[in-house]
Amino acid sequence: MTARKMVRVRFAPSPTGSLHIGNARTALFNYLYAQKAGGKFVLRLEDTDEARSRRDFEIEIMESLKWLGIRWDEGPDVGGDWGPYRQTQRVELYRELASRLVSEDKAYPCFCTEEELAVRRKEQMKKGLPPGYDGRCRHLSEQQRLRYLAEGRPYTIRFKVPAGEEVAFDDVIHGPISFSSSAISDFILIRSNGMASYNWAVVVDDSKMGVTHVIRGDDHISNTPKQILLYRALGLVPPLYAHHPLILGLDGKRLSKRHGATAVSQFKREGYLPETLVFYLVGLGGIVASDGPLKGMKEIVEDFDLSRVSKGAAVFDHKKLLWINGRFIRELPTEILVHHLRPFLEMWRVSERLESAKIEEIVACGRDNAQVLTDFKPVFDIFLDSEYTKREIFGDEEKGKTRNILEIFSESCKQVKTLDEGGYVQVAKSAMKRSGFRGRPFFMTLRRALTGVDHGPELTKIIPILGKEEVLARLRRVLEKL
Ligand code: GLU
């Protein structure tokens, strides 16, 4: 029996923007695969586009991954035995291996300028031919090549695509896919600025980092034959490929800002839970039923099977996400909910004004009506902001009824020691009887007098948290204003 190779997968974002949920889904699939297989998950930064790559995006991407609960075994921040983990630090390696291919006559320097290429591309288009490099520099004589080099002309290194080769691979998600190498023109390995092209850097890195499975979006399927040809040229066996469908908006177009939030950090700011995104993104791939029982990362790992990821496009529905978020808010343990609320509590200056036990009580009070974490703001306001009693919250025509209800309710409070849920129910019953008001008119009056607004959590939950003293104080202030 041959020993099976340890599974090594990687997530390779370009730090040119925030972490898009489409990429988060790619990261998640890789992470889940590694977890399930007991393998390693590598984070590699593809920062070769120096003009667009930014440090703050790197930080944001890593923060977003961590927030989602995705951890990497090796990466630019944690190191590892197969580094460096950022492409700008691997430039020498790309050049060295490209030179090797040149010396083996599998690649060649190309001196065509951007302008020349643009003119030829136009001609090709005019003639209805597919655009692609015409192979001109492949046929330069050794003499010409040496002369151009001696003249110091800038050049790229192009791969000599072998003609008439069949490039087939068995995609874990899509099944067998095959291309003919004749459809591929000689492509660039090293740009004239010395940087590696995407396809070259990926192959060098994946092979040098021992990557066994490449799991990525299916927008990369057309790159795969090029990459396989490069593996062959290097005398290496390519990894296994799994291309998952991209996420589309409800209109069938690729998910973009037009559809609403797309960055993981933005969902976080809008009050979504990481549990929701993980569950939903995996659900989009068909691994968990999004209206079935909620699952956390551990259970999702257990259920994970890459070959079950659906081949069809994943359609992103913000309404469904919102609904799932509401379910998680209701079902997660309160401490976890409070943990996720921390940044908001800081921002709303709640943490400095309330002790944790009180915060937990208020969170428990508001969770039934919340869909996003920002829905907790008005709930905290109920307890922290009693300024509303200074406003006219009742119209002239309501004043008589209101005074009657509030006076009797305050009076009835004296019958009970504390306004816990039982105490409140008893007081409310007796006040309804004595005032002659019941149902909506009674409760609406009481609610507005105690909170300043007409909606919010159940009074049976609010009143015990306010406590008897605060309830009486608020009612007194409202009565004074009537
Ligand atoms: N940097 C590439 C991307 O973000 C990685 C593609 C790959 O996984 O090969 O799309």
Side-chain angles (χ1 to χ4, degrees), residues 10 12-14 23 46 198 202 206 214-216 219-220 227:
R10 75 338 184 244
S14 306
N23 284 335
E46 304 214 326
Y198 156 72
V202 161
D206 285 346
V214 167
I215 306 167
R216 60 186 173 194
D219 50 335
H220 284 291
Q227 296 177 11

Side-chain angles (χ1 to χ4, degrees), residues 26-46:
T26 305
L28 193 55
F29 284 160
N30 277 285
Y31 172 74
L32 293 171
Y33 192 81
Q35 287 283 308
K36 178 86 186 230
K40 296 281 184 232
F41 175 54
V42 176
L43 177 67
R44 181 174 76 222
L45 291 173
E46 304 214 326

Side-chain angles (χ1 to χ4, degrees), residues 471-482:
V471 165
L472 287 175
R474 287 186 181 197
L475 294 183
R476 200 178 325 112
R477 289 202 298 273
V478 172
L479 278 167
E480 277 163 13
K481 195 105 186 71
L482 283 177

Side-chain angles (χ1 to χ4, degrees), residues 244-269:
H244 62 77
L246 298 184
I247 303 183
L248 307 181
L250 288 171
D251 56 1
K253 306 234 167 73
R254 210 164 147 172
L255 195 73
S256 73
K257 289 190 183 128
R258 276 181 305 114
H259 298 97
T262 51
V264 169
S265 54
Q266 193 180 346
F267 283 102
K268 181 181 180 198
R269 273 198 303 280

Side-chain angles (χ1 to χ4, degrees), residues 94-107 157 200 208 230-236:
Y94 307 137
R95 289 186 198 154
E96 242 170 68
L97 282 168
S99 305
R100 193 185 111 191
L101 291 193
V102 172
S103 68
E104 292 170 1
D105 198 26
K106 292 171 181 166
I157 294 181
W200 182 233
K208 290 277 174 200
L230 293 174
Y231 276 94
R232 286 184 191 166
L234 290 167
L236 299 169

Side-chain angles (χ1 to χ4, degrees), residues 348-350 353-354 358 362 376-391 393 447-453 462 465-466 470 473-475 477-478:
W348 302 331
R349 299 189 32 250
V350 167
R353 289 183 286 168
L354 291 176
K358 201 53 146 195
I362 298 174
F376 283 95
K377 170 82 166 77
V379 182
F380 277 99
D381 283 345
I382 292 176
F383 299 97
L384 286 171
D385 175 18
S386 56
E387 289 294 292
Y388 72 90
T389 55
K390 293 187 181 152
R391 283 186 279 122
I393 51 171
R447 172 182 290 282
R448 200 185 306 164
L450 287 174
T451 69
V453 287
I462 295 177
I465 302 178
L466 284 173
E470 177 66 11
R474 287 186 181 197
L475 294 183
R477 289 202 298 273
V478 172

